[in-house]
Amino acid sequence: MSICDNFKRTGSAITRLSVLLPVSLLLGASAPSLSLGHPTVITAVIAAILFVLLFFAGLFTWRGHNRLTGADSDLLLQQSRQAQRLAVVETVIGQDALVMAVWDEPGGLPQYLRNTLTMSETIPSRAGPFMMFDTWLDGPSAEKLTAHLAQLWKRGATFSETVTTSKGERLNAQGLYTSHNAILVLRAVPVAERALPSSDEAAKKLLADLPHPAWIQDVSGAIVWRNAASAAAPPFPSGTDGWANIGPEQRAAAQEAWRAGKPWHQRIVLEGGSSKRGYDISLLPMGGSVAALAFDISDFETVRGEMSALLSAQQNAFKHLRTGIAVFGADQRLRYANPAWRELWDINDAFIADNPEDEAILDHLRALRLLPDERDFNGWKKRYLTRSREGAVDETWYLPQGRVLRVASLPTRDGGYTIINENLSELEELRRRYATHERVQRQTFEALTDAVIVFGSDGRLQLFNPAFASMWRVDEADTLDLEKHPHIDELIAWFAVLHDDPPVWSGLKNGVIAMGEDRSVFTTSLSRRDGVVIDVSSRPLPGGATLVTFVDQTAAVRVKTALEERNKALVDADQLKNDFIQHVSYELRSPLNSIIGFTEMLADPVLMAKARDTTHDASALSRQSEYIGYISSQSHTLLAIIDDILTLASIDAGAIALDITRVEPLEVMASAAGALRQRCAEAGISLSVEVNGDIGAFNADAQRVRQVLYNLLSNAIGFSTRGQSVSLTASRSQAQDIIFEVGDDGPGIAPEDQAHVFDRFSTKANGTDHRGAGLGLSIVKSFVELHGGHITLQSQIGQGTRVRCTFPERALEQHRLDQRPQ
């Protein structure tokens, strides 16, 4: 055997010792307080001695390595000694009843397994069956041991746990960890820890001092001892039977747990006196007896009920909130979401029925394009979830489709967190509109040509527009700085330079600084020294503010003055015109009447006969008769024009009063038509008069109505030609008004001329021989309106004209007379 082989074998032995010796030391350190004769203590002592021996052995080995030139017999001797020492350590460890498993690497089967625990035959001695914990341990113990070993391999987390075999044997499991190995040690639970003897006075004293009911009973239920709290509480126990308060099924389960050496817990409701109270009962096996503890949970249940009711009320309140609320548990799964949150994210009940994780919800919302567009979504999601679980999120999200959300998170006591989503879309829209409105208002305010200022409740200037600074001659070089919000007193001192009127400025100041009901509108007008006329007005605003406007009325005052002067001139001229027309008309009527009188005398048949007897020139006499006819005709025409002018002048002057009587429509129609029938016959024009039904009489001035109809018929005949017809009809409207309508088949009136038909001195031949002064229709319109009626016209070129006059049932003047106080 070579020196290198000897060194390999020696290294292997040292490695095994380096594992077993720390184990023995750890076992000695972790064992409970024992006597010096206990095997565990002996093992620890031997392990310490062996560690010293191993140290010197290592020292000798190192020296031997430096003396490679030594003989192989020395190395063989050292290897033999190490093997002997290893056998001694394993022998010492074997003296302790335990199961030891050692792993050189995480997971897999243990590289070293030793079972010296004789009390249990259920623990496998081979590595493969040993790792199948669920075959020789009960379910909860197998799960706990598997979880602890996983943490021991992964993080080196040591543990000490009590596990139970499938046969009810209780073992203490310890997990140890060195720099290279993971170690599991199983020992039997000491008898002193398995059951507390009923004769143990210390245990009884401990139970006796408890404020909760406690007693000790044997398996049959016979009470062997009870504390004072149990005696004071009537339900515990009932009589001498410890099982009396437990139902048959619960009793069977409790007895089975006792036989397995396991504790048994149950919540029951018992009647104590006149009330029912809830208790948590625990039965603890104590060898041949059972220790029972009862905890009154009635108050706890009451508080829990109140908390449950509070939680229910809170969730009911959440249902009516417009703010979205989602609650996640410590496992990051959704626990609760109010309707507003589901509606906000458009999440259906089927998706949240399985309580999805927060990460899955974010992925779902991203698929629906409801989250912010992030280039690195996974990184953003990780950062957001981390901060949400810490309760550190409070931010605003600008989402697609223009939505704006406020997202905030709050931590909960159970390790979870709550997400609050508030829809700010409408608020942001309102803010945007408000900003736009404020900007437009500001620009409008600054663009106003009128001077406007606003005072705050403290009487200081808050807002002003450029027109104000310009009107009162305030510029950057002046001592009055408007940007520094001067007081009303400072402004009044500035105003007084151009207009020193204390009562005006005192009224303005009172309107600005007044409070409560004293705030009112103040208006005045002032004329400055420079000739500028300004209207001043102050109006109260909400919040104690005051709006003051200064309107430059200089131009308006000048225009008003000019208009008043011109109007006065026009009124005077109109009066002069009326006076002139009346004077001239009356002055013309006298000589005209004389001319007409003399003409009629010359045309007298007697005079004409004498002229024939004395005159032998028949042609001259004929011409004289013709000229006299012309003079008479034109004189009557001129007289009619003068009468019309006088009538219009009288109407303008208000000198015409209506003579209201009951007027029969057919009578005034026949009178007006009769005066024109000879003219119609000479012109070859047919004239018809018709009354539609029995329309009855109405209140009007018969003479003026006849004049209206006469003028309309005369005008219609004048625009008609031979063979055409003129009609005059009368009817009542639904409002009981009298309607007279005059129609002709004449050439009609062009649309652009219809608006001027009733104007004075407006005349159009329209292709006929009709001539006139243009006053007849003006008189018609004036008389109809004087009755309170109105007149309308319909005409088309080549289709004639229809003029409709509407007279009310009671004339306007008669109505006014009736309304006068008696």
Side-chain angles (χ1 to χ4, degrees):
M1 182 179 299
S2 65
I3 295 175
C4 292
D5 292 336
N6 289 333
F7 267 47
K8 289 181 181 179
R9 295 183 62 188
T10 304
S12 175
I14 292 173
T15 299
R16 295 179 64 188
L17 286 173
S18 66
V19 172
L20 295 178
L21 284 177
V23 169
S24 63
L25 290 174
L26 289 171
L27 292 175
S30 60
S33 299
L34 302 172
S35 62
L36 293 176
H38 195 278
T40 303
V41 177
I42 297 175
T43 301
V45 173
I46 296 175
I49 296 173
L50 290 177
F51 178 78
V52 174
L53 294 176
L54 182 60
F55 172 78
F56 287 104
L59 180 63
F60 292 151
T61 303
W62 177 75
R63 290 180 177 179
H65 176 68
N66 293 333
R67 298 170 182 170
L68 293 176
T69 57
D72 291 345
S73 59
D74 293 333
L75 293 175
L76 291 174
L77 180 60
Q78 293 292 335
Q79 178 180 0
S80 175
R81 290 177 179 176
Q82 296 295 341
Q84 291 176 1
R85 291 167 182 165
L86 177 62
V88 170
V89 170
E90 291 181 344
T91 301
V92 172
I93 294 175
Q95 297 300 318
D96 193 6
L98 54 82
V99 177
M100 179 182 294
V102 181
W103 288 265
D104 293 340
E105 57 184 12
L109 300 176
Q111 283 71 40
Y112 178 84
L113 178 63
R114 182 71 178 271
N115 185 359
T116 60
L117 188 62
T118 58
M119 66 162 284
S120 176
E121 299 178 356
T122 59
I123 303 177
S125 299
R126 291 186 295 114
F130 177 82
M131 293 301 297
M132 300 173 65
F133 298 134
D134 56 349
T135 60
W136 56 277
L137 291 175
D138 63 9
S141 298
E143 292 178 1
K144 288 192 294 185
L145 188 58
T146 302
H148 282 308
L149 287 178
Q151 294 298 317
L152 180 66
W153 291 329
K154 184 177 181 180
R155 298 189 294 109
T158 60
F159 62 92
S160 178
E161 185 68 53
T162 299
V163 296
T164 306
T165 66
S166 57
K167 293 186 177 180
E169 299 168 337
R170 303 177 66 197
L171 302 175
N172 179 263
Q174 284 185 300
L176 308 174
Y177 188 79
T178 67
S179 59
H180 299 288
N181 305 96
I183 305 165
L184 172 64
V185 178
L186 300 175
R187 286 193 183 90
V189 175
V191 176
E193 296 178 12
R194 285 187 235 169
L196 179 66
S198 59
S199 60
D200 193 333
E201 295 301 328
K204 289 183 180 180
K205 187 176 187 308
L206 176 63
L207 296 177
D209 295 337
L210 286 177
H212 306 287
W215 65 94
I216 299 176
Q217 65 185 48
D218 57 20
V219 180
S220 64
I223 303 299
V224 297
W225 178 87
R226 71 173 66 183
N227 65 355
S230 174
F236 296 104
S238 179
T240 58
D241 185 5
W243 303 110
N245 301 117
I246 304 176
E249 296 181 359
Q250 297 172 338
R251 181 183 305 179
Q255 292 176 345
E256 183 178 354
W258 174 80
R259 285 192 293 270
K262 300 178 181 179
W264 180 82
H265 307 281
Q266 184 66 36
R267 179 166 297 179
I268 62 176
V269 177
L270 300 178
E271 293 187 2
S274 59
S275 62
K276 293 183 178 181
R277 302 188 67 84
Y279 293 88
D280 276 345
I281 295 183
S282 298
L283 301 180
L284 307 175
M286 299 175 55
S289 60
V290 176
L293 296 175
F295 298 91
D296 191 342
I297 61 171
S298 301
D299 295 338
F300 169 76
E301 288 295 327
T302 301
V303 173
R304 187 170 67 173
E306 293 176 353
M307 292 299 296
S308 177
L310 179 62
L311 180 61
S312 177
Q314 186 183 49
Q315 292 184 354
N316 187 47
F318 287 167
K319 291 180 181 179
H320 296 84
L321 289 179
R322 296 184 62 186
T323 301
I325 297 177
V327 181
F328 293 86
D331 56 354
Q332 286 81 52
R333 288 186 172 274
L334 182 65
R335 290 290 177 263
Y336 171 77
N338 69 341
W341 187 84
R342 297 196 296 268
E343 180 181 357
L344 182 66
W345 295 110
D346 193 20
I347 294 181
N348 54 39
D349 296 338
F351 177 75
I352 63 175
D354 296 332
N355 302 109
E357 294 183 350
D358 49 9
E359 185 174 357
I361 293 176
L362 290 179
D363 293 335
H364 177 72
L365 296 179
R366 182 173 184 254
L368 297 177
R369 297 187 57 81
L370 297 177
L371 292 181
D373 293 329
E374 297 288 341
R375 182 173 300 177
D376 181 14
F377 176 75
N378 291 329
W380 174 86
K381 178 175 66 174
K382 183 178 180 180
R383 292 190 300 272
Y384 166 73
L385 291 178
T386 301
R387 292 187 299 116
S388 296
R389 294 162 186 172
E390 295 173 354
V393 173
D394 191 353
E395 56 196 23
T396 302
W397 288 1
Y398 295 89
L399 306 178
Q401 293 86 40
R403 295 203 306 166
V404 181
L405 296 184
R406 175 179 175 264
V407 181
S409 65
L410 298 173
T412 56
R413 293 185 176 182
D414 60 354
Y417 64 97
T418 299
I419 288 292
I420 300 174
N421 297 138
E422 184 178 2
N423 192 348
L424 302 179
S425 302
E426 294 183 1
L427 180 59
E428 287 296 322
E429 179 64 17
L430 290 176
R431 287 177 179 173
R432 185 188 64 79
R433 291 183 180 180
Y434 176 78
T436 303
H437 177 72
E438 186 178 23
R439 184 173 61 256
V440 172
Q441 193 176 44
R442 168 66 70 174
Q443 293 175 355
T444 304
F445 182 75
E446 294 180 353
L448 289 175
T449 57
D450 295 336
V452 181
I453 56 177
V454 177
F455 290 95
S457 59
D458 56 354
R460 291 189 171 275
L461 181 67
Q462 299 298 325
L463 295 174
F464 68 92
N465 65 343
F468 171 77
S470 176
M471 174 179 287
W472 291 99
R473 303 177 185 178
V474 181
D475 54 34
E476 296 179 357
D478 291 324
T479 57
L480 182 65
D481 190 355
L482 300 179
E483 296 292 344
K484 292 183 178 179
H485 308 292
H487 194 267
I488 179 66
D489 292 333
E490 299 178 58
L491 289 177
I492 289 177
W494 187 268
F495 297 153
V497 175
L498 292 174
H499 184 78
D500 189 8
D501 189 352
V504 171
W505 303 129
S506 176
L508 177 62
K509 180 178 178 180
N510 290 335
V512 171
I513 66 175
M515 303 295 291
E517 298 180 355
D518 295 334
R519 289 166 52 82
S520 60
V521 177
F522 171 77
T523 58
T524 187
S525 181
L526 54 90
S527 298
R528 299 194 318 195
R529 293 189 177 94
D530 56 358
V532 177
V533 179
I534 299 175
D535 284 347
V536 183
S537 176
S538 70
R539 294 181 178 275
L541 297 177
T546 305
L547 173 69
V548 181
T549 58
F550 300 87
V551 181
D552 188 346
Q553 298 288 3
T554 306
V557 169
R558 291 174 182 173
V559 171
K560 181 181 178 182
T561 302
L563 289 176
E564 288 177 350
E565 292 176 353
R566 184 173 181 181
N567 183 64
K568 185 177 184 303
L570 291 174
V571 170
D572 293 342
D574 188 61
Q575 183 64 36
L576 181 62
K577 178 197 70 173
N578 291 334
D579 294 343
F580 172 78
I581 290 175
Q582 291 183 15
H583 179 73
V584 171
S585 297
Y586 280 112
E587 291 299 325
L588 287 175
R589 282 177 65 89
S590 296
L592 185 58
N593 286 330
S594 298
I595 293 172
I596 293 173
F598 288 123
T599 303
E600 291 176 350
M601 289 175 62
L602 290 175
D604 186 84
V606 176
L607 294 178
M608 290 299 294
K610 290 180 178 181
R612 281 194 297 269
D613 295 339
T614 59
T615 302
H616 301 285
D617 188 354
S619 61
L621 186 61
S622 176
R623 286 194 300 273
Q624 176 184 349
S625 178
E626 182 181 356
Y627 294 155
I628 292 173
Y630 289 152
I631 293 172
S632 177
S633 175
Q634 295 303 318
S635 297
H636 282 88
T637 301
L638 181 60
L639 182 61
I641 293 174
I642 293 174
D643 287 340
D644 288 344
I645 293 174
L646 286 173
T647 301
L648 289 173
S650 299
I651 292 174
D652 291 341
I656 292 182
L658 298 179
D659 183 13
I660 304 299
T661 60
R662 293 296 290 177
V663 178
E664 290 290 341
L666 185 57
E667 292 181 2
V668 293
M669 292 168 66
S671 176
L676 294 170
R677 287 196 182 276
Q678 181 63 32
R679 180 182 171 188
C680 289
E682 294 175 355
I685 299 171
S686 63
L687 175 60
S688 62
V689 177
E690 182 181 358
V691 176
N692 296 330
D694 184 10
I695 61 177
F698 68 102
N699 293 328
D701 188 330
Q703 180 182 354
R704 302 307 180 186
V705 174
R706 177 185 178 280
Q707 187 174 355
V708 167
L709 298 180
Y710 178 86
N711 287 356
L712 290 176
L713 289 173
S714 177
N715 189 75
I717 294 170
F719 283 96
S720 300
T721 57
R722 186 173 296 277
Q724 293 182 339
S725 62
V726 175
S727 63
L728 172 60
T729 61
S731 61
R732 275 196 184 269
S733 67
Q734 292 182 353
Q736 298 302 311
D737 296 334
I738 297 296
I739 300 175
F740 293 103
E741 183 175 304
V742 177
D744 63 68
D745 298 331
I749 304 173
E752 61 271 14
D753 296 332
Q754 293 181 14
H756 305 287
V757 168
F758 298 101
D759 293 346
R760 297 178 182 181
F761 303 105
S762 175
T763 178
K764 292 283 185 179
N766 291 340
T768 66
D769 295 334
H770 179 71
R771 292 290 184 274
L775 299 175
L777 294 181
S778 298
I779 293 175
V780 168
K781 183 174 183 293
S782 297
F783 281 150
V784 171
E785 291 178 349
L786 197 59
H787 280 79
H790 59 276
I791 186 169
T792 59
L793 180 143
Q794 294 180 351
S795 181
Q796 292 184 2
I797 298 297
Q799 298 184 13
T801 302
R802 297 289 183 272
V803 179
R804 176 177 292 184
C805 299
T806 302
F807 289 86
E809 168 63 22
R810 303 176 65 196
L812 181 60
E813 184 171 326
Q814 180 64 34
H815 178 72
R816 291 172 178 169
L817 291 174
D818 294 342
Q819 294 298 320
R820 290 187 304 177
Q822 299 297 325

mmCIF file of all heavy atoms in Angstrom, residues 202-220:
data_model
loop_
_atom_site.group_PDB
_atom_site.id
_atom_site.type_symbol
_atom_site.label_atom_id
_atom_site.label_comp_id
_atom_site.label_asym_id
_atom_site.label_seq_id
_atom_site.Cartn_x
_atom_site.Cartn_y
_atom_site.Cartn_z
ATOM 1 N N ALA A 202 -48.193 19.732 42.310
ATOM 2 C CA ALA A 202 -47.840 20.990 41.633
ATOM 3 C C ALA A 202 -48.795 21.265 40.486
ATOM 4 O O ALA A 202 -49.245 22.392 40.282
ATOM 5 C CB ALA A 202 -46.394 20.916 41.141
ATOM 6 N N ALA A 203 -49.148 20.182 39.748
ATOM 7 C CA ALA A 203 -50.071 20.371 38.629
ATOM 8 C C ALA A 203 -51.451 20.774 39.146
ATOM 9 O O ALA A 203 -52.118 21.647 38.571
ATOM 10 C CB ALA A 203 -50.162 19.094 37.806
ATOM 11 N N LYS A 204 -51.876 20.140 40.227
ATOM 12 C CA LYS A 204 -53.182 20.483 40.783
ATOM 13 C C LYS A 204 -53.213 21.917 41.267
ATOM 14 O O LYS A 204 -54.203 22.634 41.097
ATOM 15 C CB LYS A 204 -53.518 19.536 41.934
ATOM 16 C CG LYS A 204 -53.840 18.118 41.484
ATOM 17 C CD LYS A 204 -54.227 17.269 42.674
ATOM 18 C CE LYS A 204 -54.559 15.834 42.226
ATOM 19 N NZ LYS A 204 -54.943 15.001 43.384
ATOM 20 N N LYS A 205 -52.083 22.336 41.897
ATOM 21 C CA LYS A 205 -52.048 23.723 42.370
ATOM 22 C C LYS A 205 -52.122 24.706 41.208
ATOM 23 O O LYS A 205 -52.783 25.741 41.267
ATOM 24 C CB LYS A 205 -50.774 23.955 43.182
ATOM 25 C CG LYS A 205 -50.747 25.329 43.863
ATOM 26 C CD LYS A 205 -49.524 25.472 44.729
ATOM 27 C CE LYS A 205 -49.602 26.764 45.526
ATOM 28 N NZ LYS A 205 -49.873 27.939 44.704
ATOM 29 N N LEU A 206 -51.437 24.358 40.100
ATOM 30 C CA LEU A 206 -51.481 25.214 38.925
ATOM 31 C C LEU A 206 -52.904 25.325 38.388
ATOM 32 O O LEU A 206 -53.397 26.411 38.089
ATOM 33 C CB LEU A 206 -50.546 24.666 37.851
ATOM 34 C CG LEU A 206 -50.556 25.417 36.509
ATOM 35 C CD1 LEU A 206 -50.068 26.840 36.698
ATOM 36 C CD2 LEU A 206 -49.689 24.680 35.489
ATOM 37 N N LEU A 207 -53.594 24.167 38.278
ATOM 38 C CA LEU A 207 -54.968 24.180 37.779
ATOM 39 C C LEU A 207 -55.904 24.851 38.772
ATOM 40 O O LEU A 207 -56.886 25.489 38.373
ATOM 41 C CB LEU A 207 -55.433 22.762 37.490
ATOM 42 C CG LEU A 207 -54.690 22.013 36.386
ATOM 43 C CD1 LEU A 207 -55.208 20.588 36.257
ATOM 44 C CD2 LEU A 207 -54.834 22.744 35.052
ATOM 45 N N ALA A 208 -55.610 24.712 40.046
ATOM 46 C CA ALA A 208 -56.497 25.303 41.058
ATOM 47 C C ALA A 208 -56.471 26.822 41.004
ATOM 48 O O ALA A 208 -57.464 27.480 41.298
ATOM 49 C CB ALA A 208 -56.083 24.817 42.450
ATOM 50 N N ASP A 209 -55.341 27.411 40.617
ATOM 51 C CA ASP A 209 -55.220 28.870 40.565
ATOM 52 C C ASP A 209 -55.754 29.472 39.273
ATOM 53 O O ASP A 209 -55.799 30.703 39.136
ATOM 54 C CB ASP A 209 -53.757 29.286 40.746
ATOM 55 C CG ASP A 209 -53.243 28.927 42.136
ATOM 56 O OD1 ASP A 209 -54.086 28.790 43.047
ATOM 57 O OD2 ASP A 209 -52.021 28.797 42.300
ATOM 58 N N LEU A 210 -56.113 28.625 38.314
ATOM 59 C CA LEU A 210 -56.639 29.157 37.054
ATOM 60 C C LEU A 210 -58.001 29.812 37.270
ATOM 61 O O LEU A 210 -58.826 29.307 38.030
ATOM 62 C CB LEU A 210 -56.788 28.043 36.013
ATOM 63 C CG LEU A 210 -55.507 27.502 35.373
ATOM 64 C CD1 LEU A 210 -55.839 26.363 34.429
ATOM 65 C CD2 LEU A 210 -54.763 28.600 34.637
ATOM 66 N N PRO A 211 -58.290 30.947 36.576
ATOM 67 C CA PRO A 211 -59.618 31.570 36.689
ATOM 68 C C PRO A 211 -60.670 30.880 35.830
ATOM 69 O O PRO A 211 -61.817 31.313 35.802
ATOM 70 C CB PRO A 211 -59.363 33.002 36.207
ATOM 71 C CG PRO A 211 -58.239 32.881 35.240
ATOM 72 C CD PRO A 211 -57.356 31.772 35.763
ATOM 73 N N HIS A 212 -60.259 29.827 35.121
ATOM 74 C CA HIS A 212 -61.179 29.104 34.246
ATOM 75 C C HIS A 212 -61.521 27.750 34.879
ATOM 76 O O HIS A 212 -60.697 27.157 35.602
ATOM 77 C CB HIS A 212 -60.556 28.887 32.873
ATOM 78 C CG HIS A 212 -60.072 30.150 32.230
ATOM 79 N ND1 HIS A 212 -60.920 31.089 31.713
ATOM 80 C CD2 HIS A 212 -58.801 30.624 32.048
ATOM 81 C CE1 HIS A 212 -60.209 32.092 31.216
ATOM 82 N NE2 HIS A 212 -58.913 31.832 31.412
ATOM 83 N N PRO A 213 -62.705 27.228 34.588
ATOM 84 C CA PRO A 213 -63.079 25.917 35.124
ATOM 85 C C PRO A 213 -62.091 24.834 34.662
ATOM 86 O O PRO A 213 -61.747 24.755 33.485
ATOM 87 C CB PRO A 213 -64.479 25.672 34.557
ATOM 88 C CG PRO A 213 -65.011 27.047 34.256
ATOM 89 C CD PRO A 213 -63.834 27.852 33.851
ATOM 90 N N ALA A 214 -61.640 23.990 35.603
ATOM 91 C CA ALA A 214 -60.728 22.889 35.297
ATOM 92 C C ALA A 214 -61.032 21.735 36.245
ATOM 93 O O ALA A 214 -61.378 21.953 37.411
ATOM 94 C CB ALA A 214 -59.272 23.332 35.427
ATOM 95 N N TRP A 215 -60.921 20.515 35.753
ATOM 96 C CA TRP A 215 -61.120 19.331 36.581
ATOM 97 C C TRP A 215 -60.351 18.170 35.986
ATOM 98 O O TRP A 215 -59.894 18.219 34.850
ATOM 99 C CB TRP A 215 -62.610 19.001 36.699
ATOM 100 C CG TRP A 215 -63.261 18.589 35.399
ATOM 101 C CD1 TRP A 215 -63.429 17.338 34.929
ATOM 102 C CD2 TRP A 215 -63.825 19.469 34.427
ATOM 103 N NE1 TRP A 215 -64.060 17.339 33.739
ATOM 104 C CE2 TRP A 215 -64.333 18.664 33.396
ATOM 105 C CE3 TRP A 215 -63.965 20.855 34.337
ATOM 106 C CZ2 TRP A 215 -64.958 19.179 32.271
ATOM 107 C CZ3 TRP A 215 -64.578 21.375 33.241
ATOM 108 C CH2 TRP A 215 -65.075 20.557 32.214
ATOM 109 N N ILE A 216 -60.195 17.128 36.799
ATOM 110 C CA ILE A 216 -59.504 15.909 36.360
ATOM 111 C C ILE A 216 -60.486 14.757 36.517
ATOM 112 O O ILE A 216 -61.146 14.603 37.549
ATOM 113 C CB ILE A 216 -58.229 15.655 37.196
ATOM 114 C CG1 ILE A 216 -57.252 16.835 37.017
ATOM 115 C CG2 ILE A 216 -57.580 14.354 36.793
ATOM 116 C CD1 ILE A 216 -56.005 16.706 37.885
ATOM 117 N N GLN A 217 -60.560 13.933 35.475
ATOM 118 C CA GLN A 217 -61.476 12.805 35.471
ATOM 119 C C GLN A 217 -60.748 11.592 34.894
ATOM 120 O O GLN A 217 -59.766 11.722 34.172
ATOM 121 C CB GLN A 217 -62.716 13.117 34.629
ATOM 122 C CG GLN A 217 -62.411 13.323 33.141
ATOM 123 C CD GLN A 217 -63.611 13.760 32.333
ATOM 124 O OE1 GLN A 217 -64.308 14.669 32.723
ATOM 125 N NE2 GLN A 217 -63.830 13.079 31.219
ATOM 126 N N ASP A 218 -61.258 10.427 35.251
ATOM 127 C CA ASP A 218 -60.679 9.234 34.645
ATOM 128 C C ASP A 218 -61.381 8.962 33.321
ATOM 129 O O ASP A 218 -62.255 9.718 32.897
ATOM 130 C CB ASP A 218 -60.786 8.036 35.600
ATOM 131 C CG ASP A 218 -62.233 7.779 36.007
ATOM 132 O OD1 ASP A 218 -63.147 8.253 35.292
ATOM 133 O OD2 ASP A 218 -62.451 7.112 37.025
ATOM 134 N N VAL A 219 -60.997 7.875 32.669
ATOM 135 C CA VAL A 219 -61.536 7.592 31.336
ATOM 136 C C VAL A 219 -63.042 7.355 31.411
ATOM 137 O O VAL A 219 -63.784 7.696 30.490
ATOM 138 C CB VAL A 219 -60.825 6.377 30.723
ATOM 139 C CG1 VAL A 219 -61.373 6.085 29.336
ATOM 140 C CG2 VAL A 219 -59.332 6.636 30.648
ATOM 141 N N SER A 220 -63.523 6.825 32.503
ATOM 142 C CA SER A 220 -64.956 6.555 32.605
ATOM 143 C C SER A 220 -65.769 7.826 32.812
ATOM 144 O O SER A 220 -66.991 7.815 32.686
ATOM 145 C CB SER A 220 -65.218 5.601 33.777
ATOM 146 O OG SER A 220 -64.839 6.224 34.997
#
